[in-house]
Amino acid sequence: MATRSDEGIDSLRALPLFSEVGEEDLRQLASHLIERRFPRDATLIQEGQAGDYMYVLREGRVKVTKISGAGREKILEILGAGSFFGEMALLDPPERSASVKSLDPVRVLALSRLGFLHALERSPGLAMAVIRELSRRLRHTNTDASHIPYQSVKERTKELLRRLATEVNDADGWCLSPALTHQEVADMVATSRETVTRAVKQLKQDGWLRQEGKRYRIRPEE
Ligand code: CMP
């Protein structure tokens, strides 16, 4: 169901995407946001279709996927609360470049093409936040493209978990990843679930990783 969002300006400003948007611009933008909820395993965006909305993720996680040449689903990224997606088809129409599916029940704020493009024109702070995130994603894609053929699954799993583990424990500096199944890690590092299970076991034996339910604690860099 879609309803007009009643998110306050302060809670929107806490998001990296909106942190540098001026007061009046943010107020206008907020009036265009529409709240939508999806259950787990819903397809929010389908690769190849036309797109009219971009989304800010408020609760839950989504995976960004593409079907590879071999017909396998490759997870390009897992995005958590505070991230945004669906901007590419609005900036570079018409087609959605990938699919986006919910890994949990999710709550999103949707912004129409017109609302997004107007807000970008009015607010350099918003434009900078979008460019910064697109650069981060391109950097990651470049790293993947240059490393995957040469790195072992263990190295690729380490790199992935290092990137995704952003919550830092102040006491010992170990970082906590979001919840991930071995199959999800396998779909991100382009290998089988069994190979990831072996790599995770080795990383635990190396003392580099501890498992906490479906989440991983990662040893800080020396
Ligand atoms: P869009 O192409 O409209 O729909 C699919 C969305 O997935 C896309 O916009 C981006 O928001 C997101 N997306 C595509 N590729 C990546 C990537 N490599 N990393 C993170 N998000 C991505």
Side-chain angles (χ1 to χ4, degrees):
M1 205 182 65
T3 50
R4 183 103 12 230
S5 157
D6 60 359
E7 286 258 349
I9 300 294
D10 290 344
S11 90
L12 289 177
R13 183 162 325 279
L15 298 169
L17 181 61
F18 298 136
S19 64
E20 291 166 40
V21 179
E23 187 75 17
E24 188 43 42
D25 288 336
L26 193 54
R27 214 171 286 283
Q28 275 208 25
L29 204 152
S31 71
H32 289 101
L33 294 174
I34 295 165
E35 181 172 290
R36 296 194 65 189
R37 289 172 190 269
F38 294 88
R40 194 191 150 107
D41 288 332
T43 299
L44 282 72
I45 286 181
Q46 181 69 50
E47 180 180 353
Q49 292 192 345
D52 292 321
Y53 284 87
M54 62 87 69
Y55 302 90
V56 180
L57 188 54
R58 295 305 275 133
E59 286 169 24
R61 296 167 309 141
V62 297
K63 59 178 177 179
V64 180
T65 66
K66 252 182 118 63
I67 300 297
S68 73
R72 267 191 63 167
E73 181 180 87
K74 163 96 168 70
I75 301 184
L76 300 178
E77 188 61 290
I78 291 184
L79 302 172
S83 311
F84 65 88
F85 56 89
E87 76 296 341
M88 287 171 66
L90 309 190
L91 294 167
D92 178 28
E95 282 187 8
R96 295 295 195 187
S97 62
S99 294
V100 180
K101 296 176 188 166
S102 52
L103 291 170
D104 307 307
V106 296
R107 181 168 71 88
V108 295
L109 302 177
L111 184 59
S112 70
R113 174 195 304 275
L114 223 60
F116 180 53
L117 296 181
H118 278 164
L120 279 178
E121 278 172 16
R122 274 198 311 269
S123 170
L126 178 66
M128 280 305 292
V130 172
I131 292 168
R132 215 176 286 127
E133 177 59 16
L134 291 180
S135 302
R136 194 194 66 80
R137 290 178 190 174
L138 181 58
R139 183 192 300 273
H140 163 221
T141 305
N142 289 351
T143 308
D144 252 17
S146 57
H147 285 181
I148 281 190
Y150 308 106
Q151 276 182 324
S152 67
V153 170
K154 186 171 153 187
E155 283 308 312
R156 271 149 46 201
T157 303
K158 271 178 102 165
E159 198 164 288
L160 173 74
L161 293 177
R162 236 187 245 125
R163 188 167 56 77
L164 293 181
T166 48
E167 238 178 80
V168 182
N169 182 341
D170 289 339
D172 56 11
W174 284 59
C175 302
L176 192 59
S177 81
L180 290 167
T181 64
H182 287 183
Q183 186 63 59
E184 285 164 358
V185 173
D187 291 341
M188 293 186 87
V189 301
T191 188
S192 69
R193 183 180 55 77
E194 292 76 12
T195 315
V196 166
T197 300
R198 276 197 300 277
V200 165
K201 194 170 162 200
Q202 276 179 16
L203 290 170
K204 281 184 196 164
Q205 284 166 356
D206 295 349
W208 187 84
L209 176 143
R210 290 188 224 136
Q211 188 123 22
E212 289 187 13
K214 276 193 190 167
R215 307 180 77 181
Y216 301 95
R217 272 221 184 272
I218 313 295
R219 193 174 69 197
E221 297 296 314
E222 258 100 58

